Amino acid sequence: MIDANPIDTIFLHADDNVCVAARDLAAGTKVIAGQREVRLAEPVRLGHKIALATIAEGQPVVKYGQIIGFATSDIAAGDWVHSHNLAAGQFARDYAAASEIPPDPQPITGRTFDGFRRPNGAAGTRNYVAVISTVNCSASVSKYVAARFTGEALAPYPNVDGVVAFTHGGGCGMQFKGEGHATLNRVLGGIARHPNIGGYVLIGLGCETATLGYLLDDQKLVQIGGAESAGVARPPVLSMQDVGGTTKTIEAAARLVEQMLPQVNDVKREPIAVSELILGTNCGGSDGNSGVTANPALGVASDMLVAAGGTVVLGETTEIYGAEQLLTRRARNPDVAQKLIDRIRWWEWYTGLFDCTPDNNPSPGNKEGGLTTIYEKSLGAVAKAGSTALAEVYRYAEPVTAKGFVVMDTPGLDPVSVTGIVAGGAQVMVFTTGRGSCFGCKPTPSIKIATNTPMYERMIDDMDINAGAILTGRTVEDVGREIFEEVIAVASGRRTKSEQHGIGQEEFVPWNVGPTL
């Protein structure tokens, strides 16, 4: 709960020794937070931290009731707290697996969205045709094919949202059947099967490691409209080397798309239970207010969707780091908690290979907005997932099948993270931002939530909801309900700002795990 003067500061937890500036504050300003009163020793900008008590060098700095780092020099009450006097450091986290499993939320019943029912029973929120490149060598050809189907070419097909080329920089120079290959296959298979895709064509070069035949077998891909089972005709696939090069492949692929468009167009939206939604969550260009406004409000919406029987996916494992102990305690059972701990340990090992640590995140822009350490960023980031039990942990781009709140292991880089979550089946994304990310992610609509009003007003053409109103008195719960209703409206066809701009094709970026050989 936020207990604060909504004009000057936000005070998050009774145990905190810092508060957060709710607007730019001048030196000498008297600040009241909780039961404490201090006077600012220097100017403090929106989203940045203010010490509420003396913090000696080496002592913990506490925000959200949790350690976000340790003072690197003595800090006086009223001082600005940031990178010049605060660093992450190391501390033991008690994971206490499955020790604080929350009760199931009060059910929300009867809510529906207007979606597309697929032949295999899946529920879509959009209706795209995908031209999927299996390797970078066929990326240009895939883009040329998709470029043929814009404007007038799609006019006869009003129920088709577009033809999208899904291209990437990999597909070869990797270990055959290795982790990188398996990861890419999950992504490509997830896009081909995605409920927001009404039809697809696969295009490869012919000599790459990520072979078309192995992809089809590994992911059990089938022809459009068919059941996913053995013996069903395979989907349209083209090898540039077999077809005869660039021009011939473009023409062949365009004919395939032309043939499937009438079938893809032959669908209508119908009422579908909200329980069939998988909501992906992500934060990018975060600031010091992300964990105060937009992320907790999204957490309220997440809890509502779980109460309605749906699924919420939290990604960005490197932005869970330092807050994972809050999630392991909420795990349904110790096995689920251990899955998350294993992914945290993997990241410590993986970053160590490159003489790096997870605390290389936050980014310079995050720090400019008031975030200082990865612990602080993570504690704010996990608020997106709300308060329900952790039901499952998935590897990158694995199909999400569990109901409730789940974690998917993804990097913190936004396009890579969202690509995995979407490939896992998310039909709607909610993306919170404090600095102002202009993100989209076809074939899944992305709702962008601003953490502060100045950025929302400055970038209103890109922002869908202003959670910054929480800083001037609107409740987190009220904004959370607005986000929940927006999710249902967007799932039913309302276009987000990023969709209006046509953003989302270049943001398809599968995670490149392992060496390039």
Side-chain angles (χ1 to χ4, degrees):
M1 175 181 291
I2 292 175
D3 177 15
N5 180 331
I7 301 301
D8 288 340
T9 64
I10 298 290
F11 183 58
L12 292 159
H13 192 280
D15 293 338
D16 289 358
N17 54 16
V18 295
C19 62
V20 180
R23 62 183 181 86
D24 291 344
L25 300 174
T29 301
K30 184 174 69 174
V31 167
I32 301 173
Q35 303 300 313
R36 304 174 188 179
E37 178 180 317
V38 298
R39 195 170 294 277
L40 299 190
E42 56 193 312
V44 178
R45 287 174 291 158
L46 169 70
H48 286 250
K49 295 174 290 299
I50 301 163
L52 295 174
T54 299
I55 307 171
E57 180 179 353
Q59 293 301 302
V61 175
V62 179
K63 181 181 175 185
Y64 307 109
Q66 302 289 325
I67 295 172
I68 64 169
F70 299 86
T72 56
S73 62
D74 291 342
I75 300 174
D79 281 357
W80 172 41
V81 179
H82 198 41
S83 303
H84 62 290
N85 55 14
L86 171 63
Q90 296 293 324
F91 68 98
R93 272 103 74 188
D94 181 4
Y95 290 138
S99 63
E100 299 175 9
I101 306 172
D104 292 335
Q106 186 69 29
I108 295 175
T109 59
R111 298 304 305 270
T112 63
F113 70 99
D114 292 333
F116 299 106
R117 180 65 73 188
R118 300 302 183 189
N120 65 358
T125 65
R126 295 296 183 269
N127 191 33
Y128 284 99
V129 171
V131 182
I132 303 172
S133 174
T134 63
V135 65
N136 180 254
C137 306
S138 58
S140 293
V141 164
S142 299
K143 288 183 177 181
Y144 295 152
V145 174
R148 292 216 179 168
F149 298 94
T150 59
E152 292 184 5
L154 282 182
Y157 311 106
N159 295 329
V160 177
D161 288 301
V163 177
V164 182
F166 291 92
T167 65
H168 55 93
C172 205
M174 62 176 69
Q175 179 188 1
F176 184 70
K177 295 188 180 181
E179 186 172 5
H181 190 182
T183 299
L184 180 60
N185 269 16
R186 289 198 300 270
V187 171
L188 299 181
I191 294 298
R193 288 189 303 269
H194 199 281
N196 290 359
I197 298 294
Y200 64 92
V201 178
L202 290 164
I203 302 177
L205 177 62
C207 58
E208 62 271 16
T209 303
T211 62
L212 281 163
Y214 180 68
L215 172 64
L216 295 177
D217 291 341
D218 179 56
Q219 294 296 304
K220 298 179 175 59
L221 298 180
V222 299
Q223 195 167 21
I224 301 160
E228 292 192 9
S229 60
V232 179
R234 291 192 168 193
V237 298
L238 295 170
S239 165
M240 293 172 61
Q241 292 171 351
D242 291 343
V243 173
T246 298
T247 301
K248 293 177 182 177
T249 305
I250 294 170
E251 296 301 328
R255 287 193 296 271
L256 290 171
V257 173
E258 288 170 352
Q259 291 167 11
M260 69 178 65
L261 277 171
Q263 178 182 346
V264 175
N265 186 65
D266 191 24
V267 295
K268 293 182 179 179
R269 290 186 181 271
E270 60 183 81
I272 298 174
V274 167
S275 60
E276 296 193 43
L277 282 178
I278 298 175
L279 177 66
T281 67
N282 212 85
C283 51
S286 300
D287 70 350
N289 284 311
S290 292
V292 175
T293 62
N295 290 348
L298 177 51
V300 171
S302 296
D303 285 349
M304 293 179 71
L305 184 59
V306 170
T311 302
V312 173
V313 184
L314 175 70
E316 302 180 286
T317 313
T318 52
E319 297 178 17
I320 293 174
Y321 189 77
E324 71 272 16
Q325 69 275 13
L326 303 183
L327 303 185
T328 57
R329 292 166 179 264
R330 292 164 49 183
R332 283 281 184 199
N333 56 62
D335 289 342
V336 171
Q338 190 60 50
K339 287 182 181 180
L340 179 57
I341 295 168
D342 289 345
R343 300 319 300 160
I344 292 292
R345 296 291 176 256
W346 183 89
W347 274 102
E348 290 175 334
W349 168 80
Y350 186 62
T351 55
L353 292 178
F354 306 97
D355 196 27
C356 177
T357 71
D359 194 44
N360 282 40
N361 186 348
S363 70
N366 296 153
K367 293 181 179 181
E368 183 70 17
L371 293 174
T372 309
T373 70
I374 186 57
Y375 306 143
E376 179 184 12
K377 187 176 185 182
S378 294
L379 288 163
V382 299
K384 300 192 299 292
S387 60
T388 60
L390 173 60
E392 189 55 279
V393 175
Y394 290 96
R395 300 292 292 270
Y396 185 84
E398 277 189 321
V400 174
T401 57
K403 294 292 187 179
F405 158 49
V406 305
V407 165
M408 178 178 286
D409 180 27
T410 76
L413 181 61
D414 301 328
V416 181
S417 176
V418 175
T419 294
I421 294 171
V422 169
Q427 312 109 308
V428 180
M429 286 293 307
V430 176
F431 190 107
T432 65
T433 181
R435 303 293 289 167
S437 178
C438 305
F439 187 80
C441 53
K442 293 178 180 178
T444 295
S446 178
I447 302 166
K448 289 194 295 302
I449 315 295
T451 73
N452 63 86
T453 299
M455 185 275 288
Y456 174 80
E457 293 176 343
R458 188 171 65 251
M459 302 185 67
I460 193 155
D461 291 339
D462 293 282
M463 299 297 121
D464 296 289
I465 292 176
N466 179 26
I470 293 168
L471 298 177
T472 54
R474 194 175 175 194
T475 67
V476 171
E477 290 74 18
D478 187 36
V479 176
R481 286 189 291 269
E482 179 184 359
I483 295 171
F484 177 70
E485 296 299 335
E486 184 73 5
V487 167
I488 295 174
V490 168
S492 300
R494 178 184 292 173
R495 298 176 71 212
T496 65
K497 295 289 182 68
S498 63
E499 288 183 293
Q500 293 171 31
H501 289 308
I503 297 171
Q505 179 170 291
E506 298 302 325
E507 289 73 14
F508 176 74
V509 185
W511 187 12
N512 183 19
V513 183
T516 300
L517 303 176

